[in-house]
């Protein structure tokens, strides 16, 4: 075999080995996706296996992908037949049970609310009128004290406002006097 024939044979073998590896990688990706329960698509297999678009549609790979897709489509019907998935009747039953539980919880909540109201009413009844009158008297005294303090604060505020007004008048007069003195001081001597 000549050098040229030998190198061509080596290139053909390398290409065949590369093609075999890529096909194996694509098939492995399909199997992994099926095992993980992920939807198998030609584009996703191509992307994950990092192979060409042509390869995923090539004989041997395309059939494997089609078979995986068919299995995934038929899986819900198979699971229902085998009792592995939840049926519509089972879901309706669960919904009815949940609704019944919600009704029972609402009823219990209403009963507890009524019991709390009765308990609070009973506690209020236990407080004698004398206690309530004493509390009202305390609050009345506190209100009168606060009213007196408020009136004193208002009177003090009024006095302070008058004092501020007088001080502002004095300040204005001082400024006027100062301006006059400055003007007279800036005039040339006569």
């Amino acid at each position: 075999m000549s050098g040229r024939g030998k190198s061509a044979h080596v290139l053909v073998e390398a290409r065949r080995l590369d093609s075999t590896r890529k096909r194996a990688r694509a098939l492995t990706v399909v199997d992994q996706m099926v095992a993980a329960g992920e939807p198998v698509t030609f584009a996703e297999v191509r992307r994950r296996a990092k192979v060409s678009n042509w390869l995923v549609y090539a004989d041997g790979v395309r059939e494997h992908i089609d078979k995986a897709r068919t299995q995934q489509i038929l899986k819900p019907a198979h699971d229902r037949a085998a009792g592995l998935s939840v049926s519509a009747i089972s879901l309706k039953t669960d919904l009815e049970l949940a609704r019944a539980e919600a009704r029972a919880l609402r009823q219990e909540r209403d009963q507890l609310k009524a019991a709390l109201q009765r308990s609070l009413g009973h506690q209020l009844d236990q407080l004698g009128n004398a206690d309530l009158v004493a509390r009202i008297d305390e609050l009345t005294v506190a209100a009168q004290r606060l009213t007196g303090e408020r009136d004193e604060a208002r009177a003090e505020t009024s006095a302070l406002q008058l004092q501020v007004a007088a001080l502002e008048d004095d300040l204005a007069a001082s400024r006027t006097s100062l301006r006059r003195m400055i003007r007279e001081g800036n005039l040339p001597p006569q």
Side-chain angles (χ1 to χ4, degrees), residues 2-3 13 21 37 43 63 90 93 98 109 114 128 131 139 162 164 172 174:
S2 68
E13 277 302 309
R21 271 193 245 125
E63 290 84 5
S90 175
T93 303
R109 178 204 61 200
D131 293 335
L139 293 173
L162 290 174
V164 166
S174 296

Side-chain angles (χ1 to χ4, degrees), residues 102-121:
R103 278 192 298 273
L105 288 172
R106 273 192 233 106
Q107 185 178 14
E108 183 181 352
R109 178 204 61 200
D110 292 343
Q111 289 172 351
L112 290 172
K113 188 176 178 181
L116 180 62
Q117 287 174 343
R118 282 192 303 274
S119 174
L120 288 174

Side-chain angles (χ1 to χ4, degrees), residues 6-81:
K6 188 175 181 180
S7 65
H9 179 68
V10 169
L11 287 175
V12 168
E13 277 302 309
R15 186 75 184 124
R16 187 176 302 127
L17 183 61
D18 185 48
S19 176
T20 304
R21 271 193 245 125
K22 286 180 180 179
R23 285 174 181 267
R25 196 167 57 225
L27 297 177
T28 302
V29 166
V30 171
D31 293 339
Q32 288 172 348
M33 290 175 74
V34 168
E38 299 171 349
V40 177
T41 63
F42 287 94
E44 188 62 20
V45 170
R46 181 194 58 76
R47 188 185 67 75
R48 288 190 188 185
K50 297 181 179 138
V51 295
S52 68
N53 210 24
W54 174 87
L55 183 67
V56 294
Y57 288 101
D59 290 338
V61 178
R62 181 185 67 241
E63 290 84 5
H64 197 72
I65 292 173
D66 284 338
K67 180 181 174 189
R69 292 178 71 184
T70 304
Q71 284 176 349
Q72 286 182 334
I73 290 170
L74 297 177
K75 187 172 183 352
H78 178 267
D79 287 350
R80 275 195 304 276

Side-chain angles (χ1 to χ4, degrees), residues 180-190:
R180 192 177 326 123
M181 287 174 55
I182 290 173
R183 243 185 274 126
E184 289 173 1
N186 286 336
L187 292 178
Q190 295 182 356

